[in-house]
Structures are given as C-alpha cells and as structure tokens.
Amino acid sequence: MTGRTPGTPPEPEEQRPSAGPPQVPAGFGPPPAPFEQRRGGPVGRRRTGRRRTAVLVGLTAALLAAGAGAYLAVRGGGAAGEDPAAAPSGTPSVDQGDGKGPGVGPHVYDPNAGIRPGEARVWLRDHEGEVAGGGASQYGPWRVGDVVVRATAAEFVAHAAADGKERWKLPLRTPMCGVPHAPSADGKLVVGVKESGSQSSHCTDLQQIDLTAGKAGWTVRVPAENDQDSALSFEMAIAGDTVAVARTAVMSGFSVTDGRKLFGTSKTNGCTPAAFAGGARLVALRHCFDRGDALAGGRSMVEELDPATGASRWHHTYEKDWTVGRVLSVDPLVVTAHHKDKKTWSVTAFAADGRVRSQSTPGFGVSGRCNGFGNSTGHQECYAAATDADTLYIGAGKPGKTLAVEDTHQVVAVDLDTGREKWRTAEQPKGRTMWPLAVQEGRVVVYVSPGSGQAASVISLAAADGSAQPVLQSPAVARGAEGVFYAHGIRLAWADGRVFLVNGRVYSPEPRKTTRAILSFGK
C-alpha cells in the first residue's frame, strides 16, 4: 500500500526509492484521549493532578458511551508502549487495511469488522487506474450534492457520499495542469489542461467540469497576454463566477459559466502574480521586485481584486525578506508568512478594507502546509485551520528545528483582533494529530488522526473555551487503513456530518499492494 506525497515516509517493506521511518503498525486500543483546554502558556507544558484525572475519566466515559473503541484479532503487534497481552494476533495473510494483504477470499479487509453500537461506519475505496511509476497527485475531496469527487491529472471520479459507491468517472482528453481549491457554489470546477499528452507540453486551455453531473462543459484556449506568456502549469482560484488564472508574470480572469474572458494583465508593474486564493473574495499573491536592486529578494504582496474586472481594491506589502506562505481563510482574510533568515513565522488578519487587524509571531509551531515553509505550492492547502469572525483555530505543536512541525497534536485558538492566544487544548499522545476543519454552531469540528493504538475520530471544541465533546468514533479495525493517509499529503473535507480523507498521491495497483485513495466515516 502506498499513498504518499514526495518526501512522505515509506511503509514497511516498500521498495520505492525514498527511505524513512515506517508507518505505525496496525493495532487497537482504548478510545481517543480526552481533551483539556488551557489558556495561554508555552507549548508543551502539561497540566497534571486530580483535575486532569477527573477530566480524563469523565470524557473517556463519554466516548465509551458514544461507542468508541472496538477490538478485532488480526496480524500485527501493538504500538510502542501498549500492553503485549492486548496486541492483536492472527495469520500473516490477513489484510490489516494498509493495502498489503491478499485482498481476496476470506482475507478481504473490512474496516467495519467488529463495529460497536454508536461507532461511525467507514467506507474505503482504492485507486484502480494506471499512473506513471512515480505516482500521481490526487486532488479534492469536493462534496457536491450527494457525491464526493476526487481527481488526478487524468480523470475525475465521484463516489456516493453515504457509502462510497462509484457514481461516475470522467477521463480528461489531456492531462490536467492546474486546479482551484474549490468549485463554484453551483458545483462547477474549471481546471487547466495541457495542449497534448506529452510531459513537456504547455498548459494552454481551460476545461469546465460539472461536478454535480459528471460531465465536461466548455473548453477555451487561454489567450496570451504578452510575448512571454507561456506556462507548464496554472495557479488558479474561483471566486463567485470568476476563475482567475496566474502564470508566468501575468494573470487573466474568465467566467465560470461560459468561459468568456473577463480581464487580463499584460504588464506587471514590478509585481508578478504568483497565486490566487478564492471563495468569498478573490485574493492575489504577488512578488514585487526592487527596481533599484536587481539582486535583492523583493517583497511579498497580498491584494484583493474585483472578481469581475481584476481591478485592485487594496493591497498590503510585507517587509523585506518575508514570504507569504498560506491563505488560511478569505473571510475573514487570514494569511501566514515566514522570514527568509529568522526562524519565525507570522499570522496576519486583515479587515474588509485591507487594514491590518492584527499581526503576530506565534510561539507555537505548525505544519509547513500551513505556514508555507518548505512548501511553496497550494496556497489554500492548509487543512488544519478554521476561522470564525473573531478567532483562528489551528493545529499546532512544539516549535522544532525548522518552521515545519510534524506533530501538530493540539489546537490553539488565536484572537484575530489582538493576535494573542486565547486557549489551547491538551496535547494528544505522540503520533496523533489534530486538524480543525470547520466552525459550526459555535463549535470547532476537529479530525483526530489514528495513533497510539487508537482509530481516527472527530470531536468538537467549544469556540469560547476549547471544551471538548465527542462527535464520531471510527471502528478500531479501521485504524490500519486510516494510518496510510499520511499527514504530508492528505486532503480533508467535512460536510453534512461526514469526514472525507483523500490521499495526496496514488500509485498503480500491484500484486498484494494497492493505494488507499479515499476514506470516509460518519452517520
């Protein structure tokens, strides 16, 4: 089983080129650890004593009442620190969910085996198509109506949201070379496609995809804005009925509905468009060069555009040596950046008119996918952050040797008006990460990854103080499959009471090895 982005640790016995630590072995244990909020304080300080014990006992009982935890005897030892007597056992031929079992006959993997009352049923689908030897990036998940859609450069695949059954599959005429973070409100996605199937061919056209129907719509050629307008890929975003397209030093806007060109820029005025963020607003990320010093690094700029005309509404230029990393939210607008030399990163919240509400340099660490450190693409690809009007909720961990932290095992709430920390949850056991996905009815929905002998779960945190409640608990045996959706490349979505996980990279099927492509659980 594979399913990792470049640089992701390989699994045990995998023969692919890169090396790294093995995945956590399959195994089952108690329900997820409870959560305790903390106000302020440095990352890593643990609270102990009777109060914490009482909280642990109370929340554990609540989770058990919700049906958390299950046990099924299969091959594989327990995770480090588990009681050997409680470790699962069985024959070596049993598929533990990681995609390396025989997958036939009596050994077909069932992520719901041993499910207990109150636990959320899981569905799981593998990647079936042939891709290049190095694998293919996978995009999505996009929940539209009663389906959830994923895509590779070659095709789109829709599954029934409730049970994962394939609803439709749409091959692309030529490979995809640009994709927005999200479709329009009516389920239309516009992607960039190459001129031909050659690896060296340029990104030249736009293709509309109706995700609700599984059909291809209009196709248009992107007209050149100047003599240097040529690109191997597009940076794209959708805001309202506009799809914005950035490539080498120029940008254009087109109607999502019919493909009409709405605007274009042939001159950069010293600030080249690098990427967009879309949704409720259209935000451009630019790099501005120092006209007086050609060797200088320049400065990053954040700019809001009118989606209909491309005209600038306001812009904010960062200090020298700061690079914009991610747009965590567009409404309210929250942007992270990191410094070229200093070991620090920042969070900036903007008012509707572009004024800076707050700017802070947090004392906690986050994934490189959320501050952009070591990860320069996908400027809306932080899947561990959610906002409401006044607060940012982000997956966090102890600061490390670099600005990219692997273990984001708690959630920190940041006041967008002051930049100060409001509260933080207690740390999860090593190997478990927390991914804030949405804010609904005054509570923060958080995905908690499997680890330390526990299967994945969903909890909610009170926006006011971080107090936790269980929402969903997947069956214990599902941990094996959930564990190969690696944090380095996983893409997540929360919609209508279900969580959807898409692996960031998929590979061609092999004998006794397959890629887990998409997984979901809910009620």
Side-chain angles (χ1 to χ4, degrees), residues 481-507:
E482 295 162 346
V484 293
F485 286 77
Y486 294 114
H488 301 71
I490 188 176
R491 300 169 187 267
L492 301 95
W494 170 262
D496 298 330
R498 296 195 70 91
V499 63
F500 300 91
L501 285 64
V502 163
N503 248 327
R505 198 159 191 85
V506 293
Y507 298 86

Side-chain angles (χ1 to χ4, degrees), residues 25 43 64 117 120 142 173 186 209 212 249 378 416 427-428 508 510:
V43 176
L64 286 171
W142 300 294
R173 178 179 55 85
D186 61 351
I209 307 292
T212 62
L416 295 180
E427 297 177 1
Q428 281 293 288
S508 299
E510 301 177 23

